[in-house]
Amino acid sequence: MTTLLLEHVDTVFITFANGTYQWVDITRFRPPAEACEDRCLLGLLIAHDLYGDNHAGGEPGTDPTRHGPYWRDRITPDHFDPDAAATAEPQLRTWAEQYAQLREDTRAELERELYAPLRDATTVYRLRDLGTDAFHDWGGVHDEFHELVLIDRTANLLTLVVAADD
């Protein structure tokens, strides 16, 4: 019996450094060689140690019970809705530029690390708002919390994108 696992490839953290406290955390994984449908991949992501991240100053993998504002055990693959790059990209751009102008280096990094992979993804999923009932004991500290999962079957990558502001 083979255990299916995601292999961590790398992580890129983009801070806007413009006084807005906005940031984007991008974590890339290599899916298992065995065939795995999208819902299977989402389940593997949720189960991965690095998904245990409160995104509020702790290190990825050090908070096994929280993910972003939510109790981790309240998140299932069924909470991810299909999305499209044509919808998600303008929403993220609006969020990124709502408070202050982006520095040119930040704009270029977002294009390279976020927007281009988003457009290249085979499928895109968005974690829906789970509501305050799913908040952990101090959830809700982010003004906005956006989570996308990009599955690129051509490049054999699964990318977790968390964009938020503190």
Side-chain angles (χ1 to χ4, degrees), residues 14-157:
I14 303 169
T15 183
F16 290 16
N18 62 0
T20 65
Y21 303 102
Q22 290 172 280
W23 49 264
V24 179
D25 190 342
I26 300 166
T27 306
R28 288 182 277 262
F29 299 90
R30 182 95 40 229
E34 297 85 352
C36 191
E37 298 291 325
D38 288 0
R39 292 289 172 209
C40 168
L41 292 176
L42 292 169
L44 293 176
L45 174 64
I46 295 165
H48 198 283
D49 287 347
L50 293 178
Y51 199 73
D53 188 345
N54 56 45
H55 293 285
E59 290 295 316
T62 61
D63 195 341
T65 61
R66 293 175 186 86
H67 177 76
Y70 304 118
W71 290 114
R72 187 172 171 186
D73 64 1
R74 307 272 175 97
I75 303 171
T76 70
D78 292 334
H79 292 116
F80 288 85
D81 296 323
D83 204 345
T87 305
E89 184 176 346
Q91 290 172 341
L92 287 171
R93 284 183 185 277
T94 298
W95 166 80
E97 299 177 30
Q98 68 184 330
Y99 299 120
Q101 186 172 0
L102 292 173
R103 296 177 359 177
E104 206 46 51
D105 61 330
T106 303
R107 184 181 308 283
E109 191 174 18
L110 286 170
E111 178 59 38
R112 181 180 64 253
E113 302 291 346
L114 174 60
Y115 302 133
L118 176 60
R119 290 188 300 269
D120 290 342
T122 310
T123 52
V124 177
Y125 292 94
R126 178 181 296 276
L127 177 65
R128 75 173 66 110
D129 181 347
L130 302 180
T132 57
D133 289 344
F135 277 0
H136 57 68
D137 48 345
W138 48 270
V141 298
H142 301 101
D143 290 333
E144 290 189 44
F145 184 85
H146 304 273
E147 180 168 325
L148 297 175
V149 176
L150 318 177
I151 299 173
D152 187 336
R153 298 281 182 180
T154 304
N156 196 31
L157 283 175

